[in-house]
PDB file of all heavy atoms in Angstrom:
ATOM      1  N   ILE A   8     -14.574  14.210  -0.050  1.00 98.00           N
ATOM      2  CA  ILE A   8     -14.583  13.779  -1.479  1.00 98.00           C
ATOM      3  C   ILE A   8     -15.585  12.686  -1.726  1.00 98.00           C
ATOM      4  O   ILE A   8     -16.257  12.739  -2.734  1.00 98.00           O
ATOM      5  CB  ILE A   8     -13.091  13.350  -1.859  1.00 98.00           C
ATOM      6  CG1 ILE A   8     -12.252  14.633  -1.984  1.00 98.00           C
ATOM      7  CG2 ILE A   8     -13.083  12.531  -3.099  1.00 98.00           C
ATOM      8  CD1 ILE A   8     -10.775  14.411  -2.368  1.00 98.00           C
ATOM      9  N   VAL A  18     -11.974   7.973 -11.120  1.00 98.00           N
ATOM     10  CA  VAL A  18     -11.659   6.996 -12.116  1.00 98.00           C
ATOM     11  C   VAL A  18     -12.403   5.648 -11.892  1.00 98.00           C
ATOM     12  O   VAL A  18     -12.483   4.852 -12.796  1.00 98.00           O
ATOM     13  CB  VAL A  18     -10.125   6.722 -12.238  1.00 98.00           C
ATOM     14  CG1 VAL A  18      -9.373   7.979 -12.596  1.00 98.00           C
ATOM     15  CG2 VAL A  18      -9.550   6.190 -10.944  1.00 98.00           C
ATOM     16  N   LEU A  25     -13.913   4.275  -3.623  1.00 98.00           N
ATOM     17  CA  LEU A  25     -13.823   5.367  -4.642  1.00 98.00           C
ATOM     18  C   LEU A  25     -12.324   5.500  -5.017  1.00 98.00           C
ATOM     19  O   LEU A  25     -11.430   5.358  -4.136  1.00 98.00           O
ATOM     20  CB  LEU A  25     -14.269   6.689  -3.937  1.00 98.00           C
ATOM     21  CG  LEU A  25     -14.165   7.947  -4.784  1.00 98.00           C
ATOM     22  CD1 LEU A  25     -15.130   7.865  -6.008  1.00 98.00           C
ATOM     23  CD2 LEU A  25     -14.471   9.194  -3.994  1.00 98.00           C
ATOM     24  N   ALA A  26     -12.081   5.727  -6.305  1.00 98.00           N
ATOM     25  CA  ALA A  26     -10.726   5.971  -6.751  1.00 98.00           C
ATOM     26  C   ALA A  26     -10.711   7.274  -7.562  1.00 98.00           C
ATOM     27  O   ALA A  26     -11.649   7.546  -8.329  1.00 98.00           O
ATOM     28  CB  ALA A  26     -10.248   4.829  -7.647  1.00 98.00           C
ATOM     29  N   ASP A  29      -4.760  11.739  -7.957  1.00 98.00           N
ATOM     30  CA  ASP A  29      -4.085  12.544  -6.938  1.00 98.00           C
ATOM     31  C   ASP A  29      -3.903  13.905  -7.530  1.00 98.00           C
ATOM     32  O   ASP A  29      -3.536  14.159  -8.647  1.00 98.00           O
ATOM     33  CB  ASP A  29      -2.740  11.903  -6.581  1.00 98.00           C
ATOM     34  CG  ASP A  29      -2.147  12.479  -5.275  1.00 98.00           C
ATOM     35  OD1 ASP A  29      -1.767  13.667  -5.261  1.00 98.00           O
ATOM     36  OD2 ASP A  29      -2.060  11.712  -4.332  1.00 98.00           O
ATOM     37  N   VAL A  36       0.786   8.080 -13.929  1.00 98.00           N
ATOM     38  CA  VAL A  36      -0.399   7.558 -13.338  1.00 98.00           C
ATOM     39  C   VAL A  36      -0.281   7.622 -11.815  1.00 98.00           C
ATOM     40  O   VAL A  36       0.669   7.087 -11.251  1.00 98.00           O
ATOM     41  CB  VAL A  36      -0.693   6.085 -13.769  1.00 98.00           C
ATOM     42  CG1 VAL A  36      -1.918   5.544 -13.019  1.00 98.00           C
ATOM     43  CG2 VAL A  36      -0.885   5.940 -15.247  1.00 98.00           C
ATOM     44  N   ALA A  51      -5.512   0.946  11.582  1.00 98.00           N
ATOM     45  CA  ALA A  51      -6.861   0.775  12.179  1.00 98.00           C
ATOM     46  C   ALA A  51      -7.699  -0.304  11.468  1.00 98.00           C
ATOM     47  O   ALA A  51      -8.888  -0.397  11.595  1.00 98.00           O
ATOM     48  CB  ALA A  51      -7.620   2.179  12.019  1.00 98.00           C
ATOM     49  N   SER A  57     -11.969  -5.333   7.536  1.00 98.00           N
ATOM     50  CA  SER A  57     -10.916  -5.651   6.568  1.00 98.00           C
ATOM     51  C   SER A  57     -11.421  -6.180   5.230  1.00 98.00           C
ATOM     52  O   SER A  57     -10.651  -6.269   4.261  1.00 98.00           O
ATOM     53  CB  SER A  57      -9.938  -6.676   7.197  1.00 98.00           C
ATOM     54  OG  SER A  57     -10.592  -7.867   7.432  1.00 98.00           O
ATOM     55  N   ALA A  58     -12.699  -6.551   5.133  1.00 98.00           N
ATOM     56  CA  ALA A  58     -13.226  -7.059   3.858  1.00 98.00           C
ATOM     57  C   ALA A  58     -13.044  -6.042   2.685  1.00 98.00           C
ATOM     58  O   ALA A  58     -12.739  -6.438   1.593  1.00 98.00           O
ATOM     59  CB  ALA A  58     -14.670  -7.431   3.992  1.00 98.00           C
ATOM     60  N   VAL A  59     -13.188  -4.767   3.074  1.00 98.00           N
ATOM     61  CA  VAL A  59     -13.002  -3.747   2.031  1.00 98.00           C
ATOM     62  C   VAL A  59     -11.594  -3.668   1.498  1.00 98.00           C
ATOM     63  O   VAL A  59     -11.386  -3.265   0.330  1.00 98.00           O
ATOM     64  CB  VAL A  59     -13.531  -2.356   2.578  1.00 98.00           C
ATOM     65  CG1 VAL A  59     -12.530  -1.767   3.564  1.00 98.00           C
ATOM     66  CG2 VAL A  59     -13.727  -1.393   1.402  1.00 98.00           C
ATOM     67  N   ILE A  60     -10.613  -4.099   2.253  1.00 98.00           N
ATOM     68  CA  ILE A  60      -9.255  -4.048   1.789  1.00 98.00           C
ATOM     69  C   ILE A  60      -9.055  -5.082   0.642  1.00 98.00           C
ATOM     70  O   ILE A  60      -8.403  -4.778  -0.356  1.00 98.00           O
ATOM     71  CB  ILE A  60      -8.260  -4.392   2.925  1.00 98.00           C
ATOM     72  CG1 ILE A  60      -8.560  -3.510   4.168  1.00 98.00           C
ATOM     73  CG2 ILE A  60      -6.821  -4.176   2.427  1.00 98.00           C
ATOM     74  CD1 ILE A  60      -8.433  -2.006   3.979  1.00 98.00           C
ATOM     75  N   HIS A  62     -11.323  -6.045  -1.347  1.00 98.00           N
ATOM     76  CA  HIS A  62     -12.070  -5.459  -2.460  1.00 98.00           C
ATOM     77  C   HIS A  62     -11.247  -4.331  -3.110  1.00 98.00           C
ATOM     78  O   HIS A  62     -11.130  -4.247  -4.368  1.00 98.00           O
ATOM     79  CB  HIS A  62     -13.394  -4.970  -2.041  1.00 98.00           C
ATOM     80  CG  HIS A  62     -14.216  -4.349  -3.091  1.00 98.00           C
ATOM     81  ND1 HIS A  62     -14.523  -5.041  -4.225  1.00 98.00           N
ATOM     82  CD2 HIS A  62     -14.786  -3.127  -3.267  1.00 98.00           C
ATOM     83  CE1 HIS A  62     -15.244  -4.268  -5.062  1.00 98.00           C
ATOM     84  NE2 HIS A  62     -15.393  -3.113  -4.498  1.00 98.00           N
ATOM     85  N   VAL A  66     -10.023  -3.858  -7.059  1.00 98.00           N
ATOM     86  CA  VAL A  66     -10.220  -2.565  -7.783  1.00 98.00           C
ATOM     87  C   VAL A  66      -8.911  -2.075  -8.350  1.00 98.00           C
ATOM     88  O   VAL A  66      -8.846  -1.557  -9.487  1.00 98.00           O
ATOM     89  CB  VAL A  66     -10.882  -1.521  -6.912  1.00 98.00           C
ATOM     90  CG1 VAL A  66     -10.899  -0.139  -7.491  1.00 98.00           C
ATOM     91  CG2 VAL A  66     -12.343  -1.984  -6.566  1.00 98.00           C
ATOM     92  N   ILE A  70      -8.127  -1.161 -12.151  1.00 98.00           N
ATOM     93  CA  ILE A  70      -7.651   0.155 -12.601  1.00 98.00           C
ATOM     94  C   ILE A  70      -6.359   0.032 -13.351  1.00 98.00           C
ATOM     95  O   ILE A  70      -6.112   0.716 -14.337  1.00 98.00           O
ATOM     96  CB  ILE A  70      -7.509   1.118 -11.385  1.00 98.00           C
ATOM     97  CG1 ILE A  70      -8.935   1.458 -10.802  1.00 98.00           C
ATOM     98  CG2 ILE A  70      -6.790   2.357 -11.742  1.00 98.00           C
ATOM     99  CD1 ILE A  70      -8.884   2.199  -9.493  1.00 98.00           C
ATOM    100  N   ILE A  76      -1.118  -0.063 -17.168  1.00 98.00           N
ATOM    101  CA  ILE A  76       0.139  -0.146 -16.445  1.00 98.00           C
ATOM    102  C   ILE A  76       0.379  -1.528 -15.813  1.00 98.00           C
ATOM    103  O   ILE A  76       1.352  -1.764 -15.149  1.00 98.00           O
ATOM    104  CB  ILE A  76       0.225   0.962 -15.315  1.00 98.00           C
ATOM    105  CG1 ILE A  76      -0.889   0.843 -14.345  1.00 98.00           C
ATOM    106  CG2 ILE A  76       0.293   2.335 -15.972  1.00 98.00           C
ATOM    107  CD1 ILE A  76      -0.722   1.752 -13.110  1.00 98.00           C
ATOM    108  N   ASP A  79       3.671  -3.410 -17.490  1.00 98.00           N
ATOM    109  CA  ASP A  79       4.970  -2.832 -17.153  1.00 98.00           C
ATOM    110  C   ASP A  79       5.186  -2.784 -15.634  1.00 98.00           C
ATOM    111  O   ASP A  79       6.337  -2.780 -15.136  1.00 98.00           O
ATOM    112  CB  ASP A  79       5.082  -1.401 -17.738  1.00 98.00           C
ATOM    113  CG  ASP A  79       5.274  -1.400 -19.170  1.00 98.00           C
ATOM    114  OD1 ASP A  79       5.630  -2.468 -19.759  1.00 98.00           O
ATOM    115  OD2 ASP A  79       5.065  -0.362 -19.844  1.00 98.00           O
ATOM    116  N   PHE A  81       3.718  -1.435 -11.552  1.00 98.00           N
ATOM    117  CA  PHE A  81       3.333  -0.186 -10.795  1.00 98.00           C
ATOM    118  C   PHE A  81       3.616  -0.430  -9.339  1.00 98.00           C
ATOM    119  O   PHE A  81       4.066  -1.510  -8.938  1.00 98.00           O
ATOM    120  CB  PHE A  81       1.813   0.141 -11.092  1.00 98.00           C
ATOM    121  CG  PHE A  81       0.878  -0.999 -10.716  1.00 98.00           C
ATOM    122  CD1 PHE A  81       0.254  -1.028  -9.480  1.00 98.00           C
ATOM    123  CD2 PHE A  81       0.623  -2.047 -11.608  1.00 98.00           C
ATOM    124  CE1 PHE A  81      -0.607  -2.019  -9.159  1.00 98.00           C
ATOM    125  CE2 PHE A  81      -0.219  -3.066 -11.295  1.00 98.00           C
ATOM    126  CZ  PHE A  81      -0.864  -3.030 -10.066  1.00 98.00           C
ATOM    127  N   VAL A  83       1.990   0.114  -5.270  1.00 98.00           N
ATOM    128  CA  VAL A  83       0.833   0.416  -4.346  1.00 98.00           C
ATOM    129  C   VAL A  83       1.439   0.810  -2.995  1.00 98.00           C
ATOM    130  O   VAL A  83       2.260   0.021  -2.462  1.00 98.00           O
ATOM    131  CB  VAL A  83      -0.111  -0.762  -4.215  1.00 98.00           C
ATOM    132  CG1 VAL A  83      -1.233  -0.465  -3.246  1.00 98.00           C
ATOM    133  CG2 VAL A  83      -0.637  -1.240  -5.545  1.00 98.00           C
ATOM    134  N   CYS A  87       1.321   5.427   6.552  1.00 98.00           N
ATOM    135  CA  CYS A  87       0.620   5.239   7.820  1.00 98.00           C
ATOM    136  C   CYS A  87       1.329   6.057   8.942  1.00 98.00           C
ATOM    137  O   CYS A  87       2.499   5.791   9.241  1.00 98.00           O
ATOM    138  CB  CYS A  87       0.538   3.792   8.176  1.00 98.00           C
ATOM    139  SG  CYS A  87      -0.336   3.499   9.725  1.00 98.00           S
ATOM    140  N   SER A  94      -0.397  12.166   5.321  1.00 98.00           N
ATOM    141  CA  SER A  94      -0.891  13.516   5.469  1.00 98.00           C
ATOM    142  C   SER A  94      -2.409  13.624   5.590  1.00 98.00           C
ATOM    143  O   SER A  94      -2.950  14.570   6.143  1.00 98.00           O
ATOM    144  CB  SER A  94      -0.387  14.454   4.348  1.00 98.00           C
ATOM    145  OG  SER A  94      -0.874  13.999   3.127  1.00 98.00           O
ATOM    146  N   HIS A  97      -7.312   9.344   6.429  1.00 98.00           N
ATOM    147  CA  HIS A  97      -8.345   8.448   5.910  1.00 98.00           C
ATOM    148  C   HIS A  97      -7.575   7.463   5.046  1.00 98.00           C
ATOM    149  O   HIS A  97      -6.944   7.885   4.063  1.00 98.00           O
ATOM    150  CB  HIS A  97      -9.385   9.247   5.170  1.00 98.00           C
ATOM    151  CG  HIS A  97     -10.494   8.512   4.562  1.00 98.00           C
ATOM    152  ND1 HIS A  97     -11.821   8.839   4.687  1.00 98.00           N
ATOM    153  CD2 HIS A  97     -10.559   7.346   3.812  1.00 98.00           C
ATOM    154  CE1 HIS A  97     -12.634   8.003   4.068  1.00 98.00           C
ATOM    155  NE2 HIS A  97     -11.855   7.079   3.488  1.00 98.00           N
ATOM    156  N   ASP A 109      11.600   5.045  -8.543  1.00 94.00           N
ATOM    157  CA  ASP A 109      12.843   4.965  -7.756  1.00 94.00           C
ATOM    158  C   ASP A 109      12.771   3.695  -6.926  1.00 94.00           C
ATOM    159  O   ASP A 109      11.769   3.334  -6.450  1.00 94.00           O
ATOM    160  CB  ASP A 109      13.052   6.182  -6.884  1.00 94.00           C
ATOM    161  CG  ASP A 109      13.088   7.460  -7.670  1.00 94.00           C
ATOM    162  OD1 ASP A 109      13.431   7.404  -8.846  1.00 94.00           O
ATOM    163  OD2 ASP A 109      12.665   8.523  -7.105  1.00 94.00           O
ATOM    164  N   VAL A 110      13.910   3.063  -6.723  1.00 92.00           N
ATOM    165  CA  VAL A 110      13.987   1.859  -5.961  1.00 92.00           C
ATOM    166  C   VAL A 110      13.843   2.139  -4.472  1.00 92.00           C
ATOM    167  O   VAL A 110      13.386   1.263  -3.683  1.00 92.00           O
ATOM    168  CB  VAL A 110      15.268   1.052  -6.254  1.00 92.00           C
ATOM    169  CG1 VAL A 110      16.488   1.686  -5.642  1.00 92.00           C
ATOM    170  CG2 VAL A 110      15.114  -0.420  -5.818  1.00 92.00           C
TER     171      VAL A 110
END
Side-chain angles (χ1 to χ4, degrees):
I8 285 180
V18 300
L25 180 66
D29 196 292
V36 176
S57 64
V59 72
I60 309 299
H62 182 54
V66 168
I70 291 171
I76 59 172
D79 286 345
F81 57 94
V83 179
C87 179
S94 63
H97 180 130
D109 301 334
V110 73

